[in-house]
Amino acid sequence: TDAVAQDYDEARKQFLPPFDTKTTKPSKIYLPKKIAGQQSWNSTNRIIEKALQKEDWKEALSFPNKNREFDSDKDADLDEGKKERMREHMKWCDSVTALLHSVNPSRASAKERLKAIVILAHMVRFHKAVGKRNFIKGHHDEVLKRVGSSPYEVISMCMDTFLVNDGNRGYSQTKQLRDKRVVYLLILYILVASGGGGESDDVRVGSINSFMNECEIPLRDAMMFLTQAGFKVKKGVDGTLSVSLNAPVEFPPPIRPKRGS
């Protein structure tokens, strides 16, 4: 392998979630558990188990503060608009909630799929909180409160993966890290929407537009990042973006400089 290809391989490993180039099953190329990391993955157990104790467990997961009550004395200075924003603080975005409602709890794979959905939901919240900010002031737990607060392990994973710790000053974000966050989100969404968690070996989604729109991911970026990640991306005449993943995965070849340049 020449030096250009080696550089591309190394850059790919830094940019993409962990991947398996040898597997013959599309669903095994990228794994939700490896995208999340062990601690984040395990932390979802208590969240799911607590929600499953509720009659409407799906709403307990996706809209935990819906019925939050306020103290008439302690919260007397809060207007109704502020109260409503506080109730919706932990609310999931619609496209992730739709994935939750597609889960059949009687299937053996339901628990694994729920874990992936919970991780995705809170990664989206982190994504929206951080946005395009170049710097967030404060130490770890101060910044964590500003960019999602809970689950602690999931938000900490996001901070470690998508931000740079500048010591006590705070955390910074480069364009490369913003792009990395976007590709992680897209891949995890596609895996779950395809039945990720053991329900299907295929990785194929007819449209990722609703998720892209809610996360404010430009169509051009989604096409470019997913192509780099080995996905087949098709844009319909109406702008619908459909994606699929074949195994073994094939990444696009490196762009080589022209001779004499």
Side-chain angles (χ1 to χ4, degrees):
T1 308
D2 62 31
V4 174
Q6 286 182 338
D7 289 346
Y8 261 72
D9 287 344
E10 186 57 37
R12 186 181 294 119
K13 290 175 183 177
Q14 293 295 320
F15 182 61
L16 298 176
F19 52 81
D20 184 342
T21 58
K22 296 180 180 178
T23 182
T24 57
K25 293 183 177 181
S27 63
K28 302 298 183 185
I29 296 171
Y30 297 99
L31 296 174
K33 186 175 183 178
K34 289 192 174 182
I35 292 175
Q38 191 67 52
Q39 284 188 311
S40 292
W41 191 254
N42 291 343
S43 73
T44 60
N45 284 323
R46 67 176 185 271
I47 298 170
I48 293 169
E49 287 169 5
K50 182 179 178 181
L52 289 175
Q53 294 172 6
K54 305 288 181 64
E55 183 176 350
D56 190 344
W57 60 270
K58 292 180 180 178
E59 184 173 86
L61 278 172
S62 62
F63 201 169
N65 291 340
K66 181 179 180 179
N67 298 314
R68 175 175 176 174
E69 295 181 357
F70 293 89
D71 186 279
S72 57
D73 296 323
K74 182 181 176 182
D75 302 316
D77 59 332
L78 298 177
D79 59 34
E80 288 305 313
K82 175 69 172 177
K83 290 178 182 178
E84 190 61 28
R85 287 192 295 275
M86 292 174 71
R87 288 191 181 100
E88 295 197 356
H89 172 62
M90 299 280 284
K91 185 180 179 182
W92 293 6
C93 69
D94 292 343
S95 52
V96 179
T97 300
L99 293 177
L100 180 65
H101 285 278
S102 72
V103 174
N104 182 347
S106 65
R107 297 182 79 109
S109 58
K111 186 76 174 289
E112 295 296 287
R113 192 154 183 249
L114 281 174
K115 286 184 178 184
I117 293 171
V118 169
I119 296 287
L120 176 63
H122 294 290
M123 284 180 66
V124 170
R125 288 181 56 241
F126 175 86
H127 168 75
K128 291 185 174 184
V130 173
K132 294 184 178 180
R133 286 191 283 178
N134 294 323
F135 183 76
I136 305 171
K137 186 178 179 180
H139 60 68
H140 181 276
D141 284 4
E142 288 176 330
V143 173
L144 185 137
K145 288 179 181 178
R146 297 190 187 115
V147 296
S149 71
S150 65
Y152 184 92
E153 295 84 356
V154 178
I155 304 303
S156 290
M157 176 277 291
C158 289
M159 290 173 61
D160 293 342
T161 307
F162 308 121
L163 298 176
V164 176
N165 187 343
D166 290 335
N168 292 327
R169 289 183 60 247
Y171 285 75
S172 58
Q173 177 183 219
T174 62
K175 182 182 184 303
Q176 185 177 19
L177 286 173
R178 285 197 296 270
D179 292 346
K180 181 175 181 176
R181 185 179 75 226
V182 168
V183 78
Y184 270 57
L185 282 171
L186 287 168
I187 292 174
L188 184 53
Y189 174 79
I190 292 165
L191 293 177
V192 180
S194 299
E199 291 186 12
S200 172
D201 284 333
D202 287 335
V203 176
R204 191 180 307 275
V205 179
S207 172
I208 62 170
N209 293 63
S210 60
F211 182 73
M212 285 167 40
N213 292 339
E214 286 194 276
C215 293
E216 298 183 353
I217 300 172
L219 186 143
R220 182 179 177 181
D221 287 356
M223 294 181 70
M224 178 173 62
F225 296 157
L226 290 172
T227 299
Q228 291 175 1
F231 286 79
K232 307 299 180 186
V233 184
K234 292 183 179 180
K235 179 184 174 184
V237 292
D238 60 351
T240 298
L241 217 60
S242 61
V243 296
S244 61
L245 186 62
N246 299 326
V249 63
E250 293 184 7
F251 296 113
I255 301 173
R256 300 177 184 276
K258 295 180 180 179
R259 290 183 180 180
S261 62

